[in-house]
Amino acid sequence: MLDRSRHVCQGGQDGFAKGEHRLACGGRLMRTHIGLIGGAALTFTKSIVCMTELGFKEARQRVIQSLKEGLYQHEARSSIEAKNLLATGKVAVAEVVDMLRRCNGTHHTSSWHHTVKGVQVHVIKPDKPDRWYIKFYFLDPEAPETMFISVHPEDGGQAGS
């Protein structure tokens, strides 16, 4: 069941206003509408997919699981040779897992994807042994499958990359 205290709906999607959801099941949120048409009562349900907001511990656990199980992809982007060293094979999965394990919540930030509503993008910046920039999001609210946007030393790409 969805933890309503951590659910974030951006609202305005498919006619839903912010906070109008009535029923929740996993990442699919449902709202029951009751209205009158020609004096007769009409009930119908409309659904949209929204993601729950993940904190650092759950995001780190899921991304590490996806790396260990090979359940990850790389987003197509410009400058991939410099900005996604995991995609190019210049950094090993084990190295990224090791960096992520050394992090705590102070190394983590997140924001909503700039083009895909309801998708939370995570940025983790390990600082030992060197400063790195790891940016990713999850493809499914229930599964660990991850889409990596950036994996590079912090000085190897621009901030926000």
Side-chain angles (χ1 to χ4, degrees):
M1 190 64 160
L2 184 66
D3 178 355
R4 293 177 188 275
S5 65
R6 296 180 66 202
H7 171 68
V8 176
C9 174
Q10 294 178 346
Q13 301 172 1
D14 295 332
F16 286 95
K18 189 172 185 174
E20 285 189 347
H21 305 297
R22 304 282 167 104
L23 304 172
C25 179
R28 182 161 299 279
L29 299 168
M30 318 274 281
R31 179 176 180 216
T32 301
H33 301 265
I34 300 173
L36 295 175
I37 295 181
L42 174 68
T43 302
F44 61 97
T45 301
K46 191 174 190 179
S47 68
I48 61 171
V49 174
C50 280
M51 298 283 285
T52 55
E53 188 173 3
L54 298 178
F56 166 73
K57 287 182 181 180
E58 187 174 354
R60 181 179 66 174
Q61 176 186 0
R62 286 176 65 181
V63 72
I64 289 172
Q65 179 184 356
S66 76
L67 286 164
K68 287 180 162 186
E69 295 177 7
L71 298 172
Y72 59 91
Q73 300 176 37
H74 303 284
E75 192 168 86
R77 60 164 307 151
S78 62
S79 306
I80 197 163
E81 291 292 323
K83 294 192 177 183
N84 194 335
L85 302 183
L86 181 61
T88 63
K90 292 179 182 173
V91 64
V93 169
E95 292 174 276
V96 176
V97 168
D98 188 49
M99 284 188 273
L100 290 167
R101 283 192 172 136
R102 293 185 196 156
C103 294
N104 61 41
T106 63
H107 299 103
H108 175 257
T109 59
S110 70
S111 61
W112 296 106
H113 198 284
H114 64 282
T115 57
V116 184
K117 290 182 180 182
V119 173
Q120 183 183 13
V121 177
H122 300 272
V123 174
I124 299 179
K125 295 182 177 182
D127 58 9
K128 293 179 183 179
D130 300 309
R131 294 189 62 82
W132 277 71
Y133 185 88
I134 302 170
K135 187 174 187 178
F136 59 92
Y137 58 90
F138 298 105
L139 297 173
D140 185 303
E142 301 296 319
E145 189 168 359
T146 304
M147 179 69 76
F148 284 95
I149 301 169
S150 296
V151 179
H152 59 78
E154 195 163 43
D155 60 0
Q158 298 173 1
S161 53

